[in-house]
Amino acid sequence: MSAAVSSEPYKLSAGALALLVHGAFFLLLYVSFSWQMKPPQGMVVDIWESLPAEFDVQAPVTAPAPIEKPEPAKPPRVEAAPALPPRADIDLKDKKKKLKAESTAEQRLAEKKAEQAERRMEEVERQAQARSQARQKEQAEAAAAAGRVVDEYIAKIAAKVRRFIVLPPGVSPQIRAEFNVTLLPGGEVLNASLAKSSGNEAYDAAVERAILKAQPLPLPPAEKNMFNRFRDLRLKFSPAESGQ
Amino acid sequence: MDATQNLSLMPLISGASLPVQLVMGLLLMVSLLSWWFIFLKMFAIRQAKSQSDVFEEAFWGHPDLARLYKDFLDEREAAGSLERIFAAGYSEFVKLKKKSDMDNAAVMDGARRAMRATYQREMDDLESHLSFLATVGSVSPYVGLLGTVWGIMNAFRGLSNVGQATLAHVAPGIAEALIATAMGLFAAIPAVVAYNRYATDTSRLSSRFESFMEEFSNVLQRQP
């Protein structure tokens, strides 16, 4: 009773100290856990033997030069049209050579018209060509980009699987095993079957284990809608590539 | 479960199952309470010691009992345990002395009883909450362990649905479960240390009070 009264003034400070201890402890825990949050990120390096389709894509980029040509062709046609009426007027004034002039004028007119028509046709044709070229170029570019992504991810898949291959001893580096791999959209392997044996059963089995162990395999993000190109893959593995 | 899970503290706690979270909440509360009592007792025992020192010095310095008693009556609030024991004994002694029909032994017995009663009350106050610290120290590791076992059971139950079991599947569950044990230990270790420390302190204070009571009885007996 009496001692409780005497310790009354300490109640608040004791409570504050208790909270302080807990705050410090949780801060310590939180900070130390945060340090662990930085994951030990293993650096992944994919070695490319040949550069992907980048050069194929750059070639069409230089193509625009022929498309620009039709545009300078326009001015001559525009000049030719106004040139006609004054000549016709001159021909009409000269009465002696009226007939001849008329005929020549008609001839010239006809010629001019034919020429004009021809030019227009050419123009239209060129424009159509340019348009189709541009479209082709776009398509080619899109296809090349898609191809690049496919190549990139196939290389990533192969690289990831390669990381999991445990090479059995005494494997010749020249052999090559081919696998048909069926994937699910999440990157899981539905089925991995040996398409072409390397001739070394241990290596075939090691690769198959590695394919299963490497799940989920890297796939392009779902919004690219490219999974159909990854549904069935044919992957080739050779001990020479493993770099071990 | 995904191998790249966020293993920081907060998601681990919020992601734990309900029983584990309950255990964690209980342990947090117990730990807060026990730390509160630890500080409360620390201050109370320190105060009791210093007050006893001050009073003993005053008592042996100039043993004018009537003046000491008057000081106590003047500053009732600031009085320590030892001073209250002294006051109870002295006031009883004075009251009984006034009755002329009491013999000296009966007066001494009455003063002694009054001092003993006050002493019991003071010791009770000093020892209050110590049993709580002892309980926390011995029980909270088990409570934490219960939470951990529950969490690990859950983690392994989740594992049964996975064909290929890897460490990544169980690790988050075990990590979140182990937090319960960590909290239990965090509550228990200071409680045990504080209990041992304060138990020693109060027993020393108690022996000090008892010896003072004996000596004061002698002083009273010498009173005319």
Side-chain angles (χ1 to χ4, degrees):
Chain A
M1 166 199 73
S2 38
V5 167
S6 68
S7 66
E8 190 86 42
Y10 298 123
K11 265 186 182 170
L12 271 181
S13 53
L17 277 172
L19 282 178
L20 195 76
V21 166
H22 284 80
F25 180 71
F26 274 100
L27 197 74
L28 193 76
L29 262 186
Y30 192 74
V31 168
S32 64
F33 268 80
S34 295
W35 284 340
Q36 251 180 340
M37 273 277 289
K38 286 173 194 162
Q41 272 179 342
M43 190 185 282
V44 178
V45 180
D46 291 338
I47 297 171
W48 299 77
E49 274 186 3
S50 59
L51 278 173
E54 217 164 310
F55 290 120
D56 303 342
V57 179
Q58 270 180 352
V61 173
T62 53
I67 302 170
E68 281 163 16
K69 274 181 187 169
E71 282 168 22
K74 273 179 186 173
R77 185 179 67 100
V78 178
E79 278 171 27
L84 276 177
R87 268 188 203 170
D89 282 359
I90 294 162
D91 288 343
L92 280 169
K93 280 174 187 173
D94 203 333
K95 285 178 182 178
K96 285 177 188 175
K97 295 174 183 177
K98 197 183 175 183
L99 278 171
K100 254 193 179 177
E102 262 181 34
S103 69
T104 51
E106 267 174 32
Q107 265 185 346
R108 278 183 190 171
L109 258 174
E111 267 175 35
K112 287 277 176 191
K113 273 182 185 170
E115 217 174 290
Q116 248 177 312
E118 213 173 290
R119 276 186 186 166
R120 263 183 213 147
M121 286 288 286
E122 262 176 43
E123 187 68 19
V124 168
E125 221 170 275
R126 268 183 199 167
Q127 279 179 346
Q129 239 179 346
R131 237 175 276 136
S132 70
Q133 262 184 352
R135 211 177 301 133
Q136 272 180 350
K137 194 192 73 168
E138 268 171 30
Q139 281 174 351
E141 246 173 63
R148 218 179 335 153
V149 173
V150 170
D151 284 350
E152 183 192 334
Y153 274 91
I154 286 180
K156 276 187 182 171
I157 289 172
K160 188 168 183 191
V161 171
R162 230 170 274 140
R163 253 181 284 145
F164 285 92
I165 295 178
V166 180
L167 271 188
V171 174
S172 151
Q174 273 79 40
I175 58 175
R176 175 176 286 267
E178 293 185 18
F179 275 83
N180 281 330
V181 178
T182 312
L183 288 182
L184 290 177
E188 276 84 20
V189 176
L190 187 64
N191 183 29
S193 58
L194 187 63
K196 200 177 142 203
S197 171
S198 61
N200 184 330
E201 273 178 32
Y203 184 68
D204 292 346
V207 172
E208 191 173 350
R209 273 197 303 275
I211 291 173
L212 294 176
K213 224 190 274 178
Q215 319 181 53
L217 295 174
L219 284 179
E223 57 262 28
K224 288 201 175 177
N225 285 327
M226 290 174 68
F227 175 68
N228 279 339
R229 306 183 67 162
F230 290 92
R231 198 178 293 279
D232 293 300
L233 293 177
R234 194 178 177 93
L235 300 174
K236 296 170 188 171
F237 296 97
S238 168
E241 295 162 343
S242 299
Q244 290 179 16
Chain B
M1 286 193 203
D2 171 7
T4 58
Q5 278 202 30
N6 194 353
L7 273 184
S8 81
L9 185 61
M10 289 305 143
L12 275 186
I13 291 176
S14 60
S17 62
L18 187 67
V20 180
Q21 275 182 340
L22 281 180
V23 164
M24 285 180 191
L26 179 78
L27 286 175
L28 182 67
M29 222 172 60
V30 161
S31 166
L32 273 170
L33 259 182
S34 78
W35 271 97
W36 187 49
F37 286 145
I38 285 171
F39 284 115
L40 211 59
K41 285 278 100 175
M42 186 181 85
F43 291 134
I45 288 176
R46 194 184 289 169
Q47 195 190 27
K49 271 186 188 165
S50 69
Q51 279 172 338
S52 302
D53 286 346
V54 169
F55 178 76
E56 272 190 334
E57 206 170 303
F59 182 81
W60 296 115
H62 42 88
D64 181 356
L65 298 183
R67 218 184 80 194
L68 279 176
Y69 185 63
K70 198 173 157 291
D71 283 351
F72 165 76
L73 288 180
D74 288 347
E75 297 171 42
R76 214 176 250 279
E77 290 297 308
S81 308
L82 206 53
E83 205 166 353
R84 278 192 288 271
I85 292 172
F86 156 79
Y90 186 73
S91 68
E92 187 66 24
F93 175 77
V94 171
K95 274 180 211 157
L96 291 175
K97 262 287 196 219
K98 277 177 186 165
K99 296 183 177 173
S100 50
D101 57 336
M102 299 282 271
D103 69 338
N104 210 21
V107 169
M108 281 316 298
D109 272 352
R112 226 179 244 276
R113 272 197 299 275
M115 282 197 288
R116 172 102 3 221
T118 312
Y119 161 79
Q120 296 287 5
R121 259 204 302 279
E122 294 298 325
M123 285 320 293
D124 189 53
D125 273 342
L126 274 179
E127 279 170 358
S128 69
H129 307 315
L130 277 191
S131 65
F132 177 82
L133 287 183
T135 311
V136 168
S138 56
V139 169
S140 65
Y142 296 120
V143 177
L145 201 60
L146 175 70
T148 298
V149 167
W150 192 280
I152 289 181
M153 265 160 59
N154 264 350
F156 280 114
R157 230 159 36 96
L159 197 60
S160 66
N161 302 327
V162 186
Q164 268 192 324
T166 60
L167 198 57
H169 287 117
V170 260
I174 291 179
E176 74 181 28
L178 284 176
I179 287 182
T181 302
M183 288 179 77
L185 291 178
F186 173 69
I189 293 169
V192 170
V193 171
Y195 173 77
N196 285 334
R197 173 81 200 277
Y198 297 155
T200 321
D201 281 352
T202 47
S203 76
R204 283 177 67 191
L205 272 176
S206 131
S207 65
R208 194 167 159 186
F209 292 167
E210 274 181 347
S211 55
F212 171 79
M213 275 155 57
E214 297 303 318
E215 285 162 343
F216 184 50
S217 303
N218 284 338
V219 172
L220 282 180
Q221 206 150 22
R222 287 201 299 270
Q223 290 289 311

